[in-house]
Amino acid sequence: MAEAHPVGFQWVMEAKRRGAKVFHVDPRFTRTSAVADSYLPIRAGTDIALLGGVVRYILDNELDFREYVLAYTNAATIVSEQFADTEDGDGLFSGYDPNTDSYVQTSWQYAGHEADSGSGHTAKERDSAAGLRHESHGAQVHGQVQRDETLQHPRCVYQILRRHFARYTPEMVERVCGIPREKFLELARAWTENSGRDRTGALVYSVGWTQHSVGVQYIRTGAIIQLLLGNMGRPGGGILALRGHASIQGSTDIPTLFNLLPGYLPMPHHADHPTFDEWVDSIRHPGQKGFWGNARAYAASLLKAYWGDAATPDNDFCYDHLPRMTGDHGTYQQVLNMIDGKVRGYFLLGQNPAVGSAHGRAQRLGMANLDWLVVRDLFMIESATFWKNGPEVATGEIVPTECRTEVFFLPAASHVEKEGTFTQTQRLLQWREKAVEPPGDARSELWFFYHLGRRLRERLAGSPHRRDRALLDLAWDYPTHGPHDEPSAEAVLREINGYDVSTGRPLASFAEAKDDGSTAVGCWIYSGVYADGVNQAARRRSRHEQDWVAAQWGWAWPANRRILYNRASADPQGRPWSERKKYVWWDPQAGEWTGYDVPDFEKTKPPTYRPPQGASGPAALAGDDPFVMQADGKGWLYAPSGVLDGPLPTHYEPAESPLRNPLYGQQANPTRKVYAHPVNSVNPSPPQEHSQVFPYVFTVSRLTEHHTAGAMSRTVRPLAELQPEMFVEVSPELAAEAGLTHLGWAHLVSGRAVIEAKVLVTDRLTPLRVDGRVIHQLWLPYHFGYEGLVTGDSANDLFGITLDPNVLIQESKVGTCDVRPGRRPTGPALRDLVEDYRRRAGIVPGDRPPTVTTPVLRPAGRSDDGPREKGADHA
Amino acid sequence: MGLRTFIAGWPVYRQLTGTDPLGRGAAAQSGRSAGLTARTETADRVARSVCPYCAVGCGQRVYVSDDRVTQIEGDPDSPISRGRLCPKGSASKSLVTSPLRQTTVRYRRPYSTEWEDLDLDTALDMIADRVLAAREQTWEDVDSDGRPLHRTLGISSLGGATLDNEENYLIKKLFTAMGALQIENQARI
Ligand code: SF4
């Protein structure tokens, strides 16, 4: 955190100054480790084993915050008797379908709800990265469940959790992660001692957790700990995702993502959502508790914002204009389709996949096989010049005079040359004022897309084709100003906020959204950012003039709430858990919730409220159900649906690992997304042969002085001077073993690529003793490429493409490689070296690695609702 | 110069007698720097902005003179950053004023080995042509069971995490209406 989010880290240091203990877990000793109370080196890709050890420590010693756990989580809920755990399945849960490498979730459901909850077969959900929908809300489950308040029932969640994590002992943590057990126990003790009524503990993570084939389950394990310890919805608690781009949270909320529409509404699927009603019901799940019960209003209001006057209740608000998913349309599938010649044109908008995405060679080969490419950026980036300067030009794989891709480079406006909002990592929207006009031809994306849309609509005027109706019906009349006819960002923000169609009055909150076409709302979770016609994101009351919550600086979604689920900061009766951790509470005199923040609860619903029989939506939430976006109002220790690779996290080895999984016969995530394409490959791991060809583990991360793929830092003189060169960090022990010299050259080889780097020998990396042997880890920055003031080989070239099944994020925080002294070969000899390694490793182009490495004892029955095609690779 | 002024000019004297006993501030100031004026004081205007790099969201003040950015500093009012910027945020002025920035449209013809110049307006027209052609060639109206698809898989897009919410909103809205489904950004990565 001190390296990649330095200014955010000041708050960790502030907490430390006030007595907090800081633990840092990382494969490499960093600036964060240097100031932490304790540093735990870890083998990359083993965090579930570490966190699972903490879960076991809590349960074994009964250190959970029992009152919180009983009232606010699903610990007491009884699970179906059909459920079988990984303990019984050698690493597989019940319901595994080896034909599709995915689960049928029926047996995971709460008792009595096997038929009416969950999502059944999940192969389709994997392709549509359905897990991402749950960024704002939980998965579906029926609201009324069986409970055992004594937590003794053998099938209650609490007992299932105990059995599931029983083998995650301190000895096992040491064996899997390479963390000495005393270090582990120091962490477990500090975490539990600093949680409870009077104290809270916070968990901070970043892409070191997400970029794994089990990334979602890493965060799930963190969530289990934080729920068991009562650290959710309370000040100083929580699980804090540190996101890496100025508005990457915003581009998830208002998604430029294939599977989502604004506010986490799913993009419709051709088979599941042929009609508006079916689409809406699949979101709101009639009968379930919580605020998603109003999904029809959010969906209708979005379509109204998109298609304006053309969208009416009679035509289902132009629902048929929405494009439909049929499978996996994610960025990696797209790139493979480019290589296969299926994609004509590609827009790159401030993103540089030639350097920043996994398997850089596949990215560049894909871009070299398009009809046209539009690059919009501040600088001439690698993704614009691959046809001229890319490494494949040197190897002869891309020949400029044979590369047909037509490239348009359009300069973009910088952040000071346009106005608009970024959403930072805590869901806070901050408006930026424009300082100057952009230079020359540089324009904002707002300008580019508004005017592109205008031209497209002009060309198509009068078109008889059905396919053009959605463009012609589009509400696309934004006011413009200035010499270049810049569209008004405030007008767009007002549409995002939503307004009453007849009066134009901006809505005060999403509670005002209607399903009858009388409101238009561009992104329902952002409703309120333009309340009273005021740009709330532009508020800048100084921190000196308000309290520590700083509610008048910017605007946070939803409803300017700074801590989500903050009802949990009070006990079931609505009283603060302690004076020290007071945040939001029930005021019986006033008959309402009050506190330092906007209460995340219906303002006047008393703690004693119990829903009447048959209630649904918000009315079905009891006065002590704090997790209001969850289908049962509870925090989920156990996830009966919504997570595709298991209701509980399980340690699997990374897709590429030198080790056999010490915990189960199942080696790696049995549901991970695999692409059997000739350009892609996975280095062998046990129980496959030849894993010793790639004996070392490597991981990548950021330098303080560079930013992602380098387009905004390798081009900036002060930053380029601070970190001028690509390098690889190795321990003195590995340097001796591999014959590497400090400040000399080394090259690293994987089944995809060979790259070179300067060697930095440092004890910031340490060999780990794991499962009876020594594992060496190497560390690389991933910022370098062949353009800019400082250049170097790209670390991401080493990775193959294997994805998490829930969100289709690639495993690019851990892989295996070999390392050798000296520079890499150049020209065609470079590919020869890689080919030689592939031959020795037994890698066959287009082969799938074995997904299941243990007998499937309880396979799923034949299910009618799942696709049968294996992996659905080429949708 | 009188003796008094001469002595008072010694940094060590100022350090011992003034408000800066550690000699790291006012006491160490030279005559030359005392006479300087900060760019931030003479700016024509100040725009309140946000750092464009990571998602901490540090507040920035952008100082402008003669319609040029002359300085970017941390915003001391921000409850997030309290005026601080890291090396990247501090380099923001170098970023936006970098001589390496491309300010004109560049065009590479198929099979060409060099860039050419292109007029922005022409570029926009050419891109519009290509978008319409790609849609026409790859349009899928219904699936094999006659259910709507209304889409093209012939167009892809990547990017958004560095852009504004308003921009992402228009991008998603337009692409969706175009039937272009394959829209992705860094959040997938
Ligand atoms: S100044 Fe540094 S920490 Fe702050 S937002 Fe910018 S990059 Fe992030």
Side-chain angles (χ1 to χ4, degrees):
Chain A
M1 185 175 183
E3 302 267 358
H5 299 86
V7 182
F9 192 67
Q10 68 174 303
W11 299 107
V12 176
M13 296 313 291
E14 183 77 39
K16 190 180 178 204
R17 200 174 58 77
R18 299 183 193 186
K21 283 197 119 181
V22 180
F23 285 78
H24 185 230
V25 183
D26 202 293
R28 165 175 165 260
F29 186 95
T30 71
R31 286 165 168 141
T32 310
S33 328
V35 292
D37 291 291
S38 187
Y39 163 65
L40 286 70
I42 189 171
R43 178 166 68 96
T46 65
D47 299 53
I48 291 177
L50 169 65
L51 297 169
V54 176
V55 174
R56 180 187 173 277
Y57 179 88
I58 295 167
L59 296 175
D60 242 37
N61 298 297
E62 300 212 33
L63 294 169
D64 55 288
F65 187 176
R66 188 57 58 87
E67 200 177 342
Y68 182 106
V69 167
L70 260 183
Y72 296 164
T73 77
N74 63 357
T77 309
I78 316 282
V79 170
S80 170
E81 58 187 3
Q82 296 169 22
F83 172 68
D85 186 57
T86 44
E87 284 299 294
D88 309 315
D90 201 20
L92 295 176
F93 292 99
S94 52
Y96 188 73
D97 175 4
N99 293 314
T100 57
D101 300 335
S102 61
Y103 284 103
V104 178
Q105 293 179 332
T106 316
S107 63
W108 303 358
Q109 300 308 308
Y110 294 155
H113 296 293
E114 290 83 353
D116 64 3
S117 290
S119 36
H121 208 296
T122 57
K124 211 186 302 179
E125 295 198 320
R126 175 177 52 203
D127 277 354
S128 58
L132 203 53
R133 276 179 234 160
H134 307 308
E135 182 133 347
S136 70
H137 63 105
Q140 293 162 1
V141 67
H142 204 279
Q144 311 303 325
V145 296
Q146 300 169 29
R147 289 171 61 87
D148 171 22
E149 306 296 332
T150 70
L151 302 184
Q152 294 307 310
H153 191 292
R155 283 188 288 109
C156 78
V157 163
Y158 190 83
Q159 294 297 336
I160 289 176
L161 215 57
R162 284 186 67 115
R163 292 195 296 274
H164 180 81
F165 288 108
R167 286 196 294 133
Y168 291 62
T169 58
E171 295 70 32
M172 187 58 92
V173 170
E174 178 164 334
R175 194 175 146 201
V176 177
C177 310
I179 296 174
R181 68 198 76 174
E182 311 76 58
K183 278 267 172 197
F184 162 77
L185 286 169
E186 188 192 340
L187 167 73
R189 262 194 301 272
W191 204 339
T192 49
E193 281 167 7
N194 287 284
S195 305
R197 248 172 217 284
D198 281 313
R199 308 189 71 84
T200 50
L203 192 54
V204 179
Y205 75 91
S206 192
V207 291
W209 268 15
T210 60
Q211 293 178 339
H212 288 280
S213 56
V214 268
V216 167
Q217 295 282 16
Y218 276 34
I219 296 139
R220 279 272 305 136
T221 328
I224 290 170
I225 296 171
Q226 291 296 64
L227 283 170
L228 285 173
L229 296 178
N231 282 329
M232 296 307 290
R234 301 180 60 203
I239 301 174
L240 309 161
L242 291 176
R243 308 205 64 176
H245 296 66
S247 199
I248 191 163
Q249 183 62 48
S251 67
T252 319
D253 304 331
I254 298 181
T256 31
L257 295 170
F258 83 90
N259 58 330
L260 292 176
L261 287 162
Y264 301 95
L265 295 168
M267 189 60 99
H269 188 276
H270 75 126
D272 297 346
H273 313 122
T275 67
F276 179 68
D277 287 336
E278 282 162 294
W279 179 56
V280 164
D281 282 351
S282 78
I283 308 166
R284 71 191 183 103
H285 199 57
Q288 85 173 11
K289 291 188 189 185
F291 278 86
W292 271 97
N294 296 335
R296 195 180 174 89
Y298 315 146
S301 297
L302 170 68
L303 298 183
K304 191 75 189 159
Y306 272 15
W307 284 292
D309 292 343
T312 66
D314 296 335
N315 64 11
D316 285 337
F317 307 102
C318 296
Y319 174 70
D320 274 352
H321 284 358
L322 289 175
R324 304 298 206 263
M325 303 188 292
T326 48
D328 170 11
H329 310 292
T331 183
Y332 288 100
Q333 180 67 65
Q334 289 171 35
V335 166
L336 299 178
N337 287 350
M338 288 175 199
I339 292 174
D340 294 342
K342 296 179 186 166
V343 179
R344 309 289 165 121
Y346 193 14
F347 290 89
L348 291 177
L349 314 171
Q351 192 156 345
N352 189 12
V355 175
S357 288
H359 205 332
R361 177 167 162 266
Q363 304 290 333
R364 296 183 292 266
L365 292 178
M367 290 190 284
N369 197 30
L370 296 162
D371 288 353
W372 49 270
L373 171 70
V374 177
V375 180
R376 293 188 43 79
D377 215 292
L378 302 172
F379 298 94
M380 195 51 92
I381 56 174
E382 288 80 358
S383 299
T385 65
F386 64 90
W387 52 272
K388 197 179 186 334
N389 301 334
E392 289 70 30
V393 176
T395 58
E397 294 171 277
I398 295 175
V399 179
T401 51
E402 293 168 15
C403 174
R404 70 191 170 95
T405 307
E406 185 183 28
V407 186
F408 297 88
F409 182 95
L410 272 61
S414 78
H415 76 295
V416 298
E417 294 152 7
K418 59 188 183 185
E419 55 186 12
T421 52
F422 284 152
T423 303
Q424 57 77 274
T425 198
Q426 296 155 292
R427 297 171 284 104
L428 191 76
L429 282 78
Q430 301 184 92
W431 178 265
R432 298 184 330 275
E433 295 167 354
K434 178 169 165 175
V436 291
E437 287 294 334
D441 291 340
R443 299 286 183 275
S444 67
E445 305 310 302
L446 208 63
W447 182 93
F448 176 77
F449 280 93
Y450 171 69
H451 289 287
L452 178 65
R454 205 175 45 71
R455 285 180 202 219
L456 291 174
R457 282 156 51 85
E458 277 167 16
R459 305 271 178 99
L460 294 175
S463 162
H465 297 296
R466 170 69 188 80
R467 67 166 183 267
D468 299 327
R469 281 260 52 89
L471 269 174
L472 293 172
D473 286 343
L474 199 64
W476 203 251
D477 42 6
Y478 299 99
T480 59
H481 59 269
H484 303 306
D485 291 328
E486 179 76 10
S488 158
E490 282 230 21
V492 179
L493 186 62
R494 178 178 162 279
E495 177 174 321
I496 290 170
N497 174 87
Y499 54 90
D500 182 303
V501 171
S502 56
T503 64
R505 178 186 65 84
L507 302 189
S509 81
F510 59 76
E512 293 182 2
K514 299 280 189 317
D515 64 1
D516 59 3
S518 62
T519 56
V521 183
C523 180
W524 69 277
I525 57 176
Y526 280 19
S527 198
V529 67
Y530 213 78
D532 306 320
V534 174
N535 184 344
Q536 308 284 343
R539 297 180 306 164
R540 287 290 185 281
R541 169 162 294 193
S542 170
R543 67 191 163 99
H544 301 296
E545 293 163 19
Q546 51 179 330
D547 70 14
W548 55 279
V549 176
Q552 295 174 73
W553 182 274
W555 185 88
W557 75 262
N560 201 28
R561 194 169 283 134
R562 305 298 164 121
I563 295 183
L564 284 177
Y565 300 128
N566 57 36
R567 160 70 180 88
S569 69
D571 70 10
Q573 290 75 41
R575 303 165 305 206
W577 287 108
S578 64
E579 192 53 34
R580 195 164 176 268
K581 288 288 168 181
K582 197 172 171 181
Y583 195 63
V584 160
W585 59 91
W586 174 254
D587 178 346
Q589 269 74 49
E592 61 177 37
W593 292 94
T594 183
Y596 305 126
D597 198 350
V598 180
D600 196 357
F601 212 63
E602 286 167 277
K603 200 158 172 60
T604 58
K605 180 185 271 187
T608 51
Y609 171 85
R610 292 295 172 270
Q613 272 288 319
S616 71
L621 291 168
D624 57 359
D625 279 340
F627 293 94
V628 295
M629 300 310 282
Q630 294 284 99
D632 54 2
K634 304 294 183 202
W636 282 7
L637 298 167
Y638 172 98
S641 65
V643 192
L644 307 189
D645 43 0
L648 292 170
T650 304
H651 169 72
Y652 298 115
E653 286 293 313
E656 294 182 353
S657 166
L659 282 187
R660 187 77 174 100
N661 189 345
L663 272 153
Y664 311 97
Q666 178 56 34
Q667 171 74 7
N669 187 342
T671 65
R672 66 193 186 274
K673 179 81 183 170
V674 177
Y675 294 101
H677 188 282
V679 80
N680 194 29
S681 66
V682 184
N683 295 345
S685 305
Q688 282 176 284
E689 287 184 297
H690 309 307
S691 63
Q692 69 283 2
V693 174
F694 302 107
Y696 304 117
V697 174
F698 75 100
T699 186
V700 303
S701 57
R702 288 188 182 186
L703 296 164
T704 303
E705 299 79 6
H706 279 301
H707 190 57
T708 65
M712 289 164 71
S713 60
R714 281 185 288 111
T715 49
V716 177
R717 194 163 296 282
L719 297 174
E721 282 174 6
L722 286 168
Q723 289 289 0
E725 231 170 351
M726 174 65 183
F727 61 97
V728 55
E729 276 194 45
V730 297
S731 65
E733 294 84 352
L734 175 57
E737 181 178 307
L740 309 176
T741 40
H742 185 56
L743 301 183
W745 286 95
H747 56 288
L748 295 89
V749 194
S750 76
R752 279 73 54 177
V754 49
I755 65 164
E756 64 183 14
K758 283 286 190 67
V759 176
L760 186 65
V761 179
T762 152
D763 55 9
R764 295 192 294 209
L765 280 154
T766 183
L768 299 175
R769 180 149 283 280
V770 175
D771 205 17
R773 54 188 275 205
V774 172
I775 296 287
H776 292 288
Q777 306 196 97
L778 303 90
W779 180 90
L780 302 150
Y782 72 92
H783 306 293
F784 286 88
Y786 44 88
E787 299 290 347
L789 293 166
V790 291
T791 59
D793 283 356
S794 300
N796 278 327
D797 284 11
L798 290 174
F799 289 108
I801 304 171
T802 300
L803 314 181
D804 175 286
N806 293 290
V807 288
L808 299 181
I809 289 177
Q810 78 291 333
E811 183 152 271
S812 56
K813 279 290 171 275
V814 57
T816 58
C817 68
D818 192 16
V819 63
R820 319 194 327 174
R823 303 194 71 154
R824 62 165 163 75
T826 54
L830 185 152
R831 288 311 304 169
D832 292 345
L833 177 67
V834 178
E835 280 310 320
D836 180 53
Y837 269 85
R838 288 166 62 92
R839 244 189 325 272
R840 286 196 282 128
I843 294 172
V844 177
D847 243 20
R848 288 173 73 88
T851 321
V852 183
T853 55
T854 186
V856 183
L857 296 177
R858 297 168 202 238
R862 166 98 184 93
S863 120
D864 292 328
D865 52 353
R868 306 306 292 175
E869 72 266 34
K870 181 107 173 170
D873 281 342
H874 298 283
Chain B
M1 189 194 294
L3 185 61
R4 184 171 272 278
T5 330
F6 175 71
I7 291 174
W10 279 3
V12 68
Y13 175 84
R14 287 183 300 186
Q15 187 177 342
L16 293 174
T17 58
T19 55
D20 180 22
L22 295 176
R24 294 157 78 182
Q29 192 175 47
S30 70
R32 184 177 126 71
S33 56
L36 293 177
T37 318
R39 282 181 301 235
T40 51
E41 276 170 35
T42 54
D44 299 339
R45 58 180 185 272
V46 185
R48 303 198 86 167
S49 192
V50 179
C51 175
Y53 287 98
C54 90
V56 170
C58 297
Q60 294 190 331
R61 291 187 179 177
V62 182
Y63 294 86
V64 180
S65 294
D66 298 329
D67 288 327
R68 287 186 313 112
V69 174
T70 52
Q71 181 63 325
I72 297 182
E73 303 228 326
D75 186 343
D77 285 343
S78 167
I80 298 168
S81 54
R82 301 191 288 192
R84 292 142 164 96
L85 294 173
C86 80
K88 291 189 292 288
S90 309
S92 298
K93 185 209 149 200
S94 299
L95 170 79
V96 301
T97 59
S98 166
L100 289 187
R101 269 187 74 179
Q102 284 291 330
T103 55
T104 59
V105 175
R106 305 293 278 156
Y107 174 66
R108 186 250 175 183
R109 244 172 245 285
Y111 311 111
S112 168
T113 56
E114 287 308 326
W115 289 108
E116 302 169 31
D117 289 328
L118 190 66
D119 178 66
L120 177 61
D121 198 53
T122 313
L124 217 61
D125 270 337
M126 289 170 74
I127 293 167
D129 287 343
R130 280 150 188 72
V131 165
L132 291 179
R135 283 175 83 245
E136 203 176 317
Q137 289 155 4
T138 59
W139 188 257
E140 298 172 83
D141 213 38
V142 289
D143 67 10
S144 52
D145 293 329
R147 292 173 297 205
L149 288 175
H150 294 152
R151 71 176 191 194
T152 167
L153 298 184
I155 297 174
S156 288
S157 178
L158 185 67
T162 60
L163 308 178
D164 299 351
N165 290 314
E166 296 75 16
E167 297 180 318
N168 276 290
Y169 182 77
L170 282 202
I171 295 167
K172 182 72 176 180
K173 185 174 179 178
L174 183 66
F175 276 135
T176 300
M178 273 162 47
L181 189 62
Q182 298 175 147
I183 309 310
E184 291 275 79
N185 74 48
Q186 181 68 31
R188 181 79 62 210
I189 290 164

